[in-house]
Amino acid sequence: MKVLGKAMRSIWVEADGWSVGVIDQTQLPHHFATARLAAADDAARAIRSMLVRGAPLIGATAAYGMCLALRQDASDGALERAYALLVSARPTAVNLRWALDEVRRAVAPLPPPERAAAAYQRAAALCEEDVAINRAIGERGLALLQEAWARRGREGRVNVLTHCNAGWLATVDWGTALAPIYMAHDAGIPVHVWVDETRPRNQGAGLTAWELGQHGVPHTVIADNAGGHLMQHGLVDLCIVGTDRTTARGDVANKIGTYLKALAAKDNGVPFYVALPSPTIDWALQDGVREIPIEQRDGAELCDVTGRLPSGELATVRITPPGSPAENHAFDVTPARLVTALITERGVCEASPDGLRSLFPERTQAGA
Ligand code: MRU
């Protein structure tokens, strides 16, 4: 996608041929800055501190973290240490474990001197796969937006509500939930996006609004609690969100607040779609509410707000009384019954065991 008119991805190998470049997402939308990762520790820190975030990008960063570790020490012990370091960086997005497993499977059978090169090859391939998956999700989802546009009699605009950031910043390119929106916009469908601010870290207000703006997609930032009201007044044609882990029966973990949007959508007859790349499916799990680990982050993310002063300087201010405790549950789970359909790279399916298996027949419920 484009930044200041220039095409770029969210992660790349630097000109030195080994270190890894990423966009520092903690500085957006105020500053566009990149960061260089030179060791597995850097990659783990970038994931933990959310310099990079979004399930697919967390996976890609972890894959390159393995490359950086193996470059320094390609022994069996170092491989396992890097895996353990990176897999514990964040708990909810299953893409992290998936990407690490992919790299480990590719390099473990090789003699140590061949491992680093093979890891770079696998990490690069994972990134290309992510781009292809997201492009396919975009194409599948575009059909849903074309239908919504037809339902409107091609009048006005198609209003899509999204939560958090499931755009290209959260992936290697295109995004998942935003890919259909970019394609619809490029195809001339007048699409407008209601962007949930997404407290506490404001991935909607800061990241989704920024990347939609970079691509020229009309959008409006709304308070997290506004979606239900907009739906009651017919101002939302459909919702599309991303996911960090979806179980074999179609329960969907995503950024905290997603569940409430799904409830409001159900109550108002608004279709609620989840864009789901297959590496985000945890085939070993069924009951998302009970089984998906939910990340608990520092309460300070809730109590402190960072923004830009009129002088251009950034400032962080506290909005809660001193001494008030805060809990920061970073994700919630939307049960499959509230999801209208899943948009995968292989097609759109019902959020159910049968729906998922119809598109991924090679998988069994036992986690094959
Ligand atoms: O905490 P974050 O910013 O990593 O959470 C990201 C989300 O919840 C996204 O919606 C999800 O990862 C899907 S990204 C394509």
Side-chain angles (χ1 to χ4, degrees):
M1 302 305 286
K2 287 189 178 145
V3 177
L4 301 171
K6 191 174 153 237
M8 75 179 297
R9 288 183 171 181
S10 62
I11 188 164
W12 57 92
V13 174
E14 294 283 12
D16 58 20
W18 65 270
S19 65
V20 178
V22 293
I23 297 169
D24 179 354
Q25 300 193 23
T26 61
Q27 300 205 41
L28 287 172
H30 310 297
H31 296 299
F32 180 79
T34 61
R36 179 171 171 267
L37 313 177
D41 275 337
D42 295 345
R45 211 173 307 114
I47 294 169
R48 219 176 295 118
S49 65
M50 294 179 62
L51 197 96
V52 294
R53 28 68 51 204
L57 180 58
I58 289 171
T61 308
Y64 276 117
M66 291 286 270
C67 304
L68 295 169
L70 292 171
R71 219 184 136 255
Q72 288 175 343
D73 179 352
S75 65
D76 287 354
L79 175 63
E80 291 312 317
R81 278 194 299 280
Y83 185 102
L85 168 77
L86 290 158
V87 82
S88 62
R90 286 189 78 188
T92 301
V94 76
N95 307 57
L96 173 61
R97 189 187 72 205
W98 173 84
L100 291 169
D101 286 343
E102 289 288 319
V103 175
R104 183 164 65 179
R105 198 174 303 127
V107 306
L110 302 175
E114 293 175 22
R115 285 178 174 170
Y120 274 100
Q121 227 170 44
R122 189 68 196 108
L126 289 183
C127 289
E128 293 309 321
E129 285 165 30
D130 181 66
V131 177
I133 284 173
N134 298 333
R135 189 180 297 114
I137 286 175
E139 285 158 2
R140 308 287 187 174
L142 170 61
L144 299 171
L145 287 164
Q146 280 164 334
E147 284 166 22
W149 180 224
R151 273 198 303 278
R152 288 194 144 267
R154 300 177 191 280
E155 292 283 328
R157 61 188 192 178
V158 177
N159 288 298
V160 185
L161 183 141
T162 194
H163 193 68
C164 194
N165 172 261
W168 70 266
L169 285 169
T171 65
V172 179
D173 205 351
W174 281 108
T176 58
L178 296 195
I181 291 168
Y182 287 125
M183 289 197 186
H185 174 79
D186 292 349
I189 295 174
V191 65
H192 165 262
V193 186
W194 295 114
V195 178
D196 282 349
E197 59 176 343
T198 317
R199 285 276 293 144
R201 290 187 64 104
N202 296 316
Q203 289 96 327
L207 304 178
T208 299
W210 181 80
E211 62 160 274
L212 289 173
Q214 291 292 321
H215 198 77
V217 180
H219 61 277
T220 307
V221 178
I222 52 172
D224 276 335
N225 300 327
H229 167 76
L230 295 177
M231 291 183 213
Q232 284 175 324
H233 290 270
L235 295 170
V236 182
D237 293 294
L238 65 156
C239 305
I240 313 181
V241 301
T243 170
D244 292 82
R245 191 183 301 219
T246 292
T247 70
R249 75 177 195 194
D251 292 344
V252 170
N254 193 48
K255 182 53 54 192
I256 191 79
T258 302
Y259 171 49
L260 294 178
K261 295 301 170 298
L263 282 172
K266 186 78 167 180
D267 194 43
N268 289 283
V270 173
F272 188 88
Y273 295 107
V274 177
L276 169 65
S278 56
T280 307
I281 306 171
D282 190 337
W283 295 97
L285 303 189
Q286 296 293 329
D287 182 340
V289 174
R290 287 194 172 69
E291 297 177 278
I292 295 178
I294 298 296
E295 179 178 15
Q296 308 289 317
R297 293 187 64 84
D298 193 336
E301 290 184 350
L302 214 59
C303 304
D304 296 343
V305 174
T306 300
R308 197 174 56 193
L309 298 170
S311 65
E313 246 179 288
L314 294 191
T316 299
V317 295
R318 178 142 285 219
I319 58 169
T320 51
S324 285
E327 281 193 9
N328 188 0
H329 304 261
F331 297 91
D332 60 24
V333 174
T334 299
R337 67 189 149 77
L338 299 177
V339 177
T340 306
L342 302 166
I343 311 171
T344 80
E345 70 269 25
R346 292 196 189 169
V348 177
C349 72
E350 190 181 75
S352 70
D354 287 348
L356 277 167
R357 275 202 306 267
S358 71
L359 293 182
F360 300 93
E362 71 277 23
R363 296 288 183 167
T364 68
Q365 270 180 281

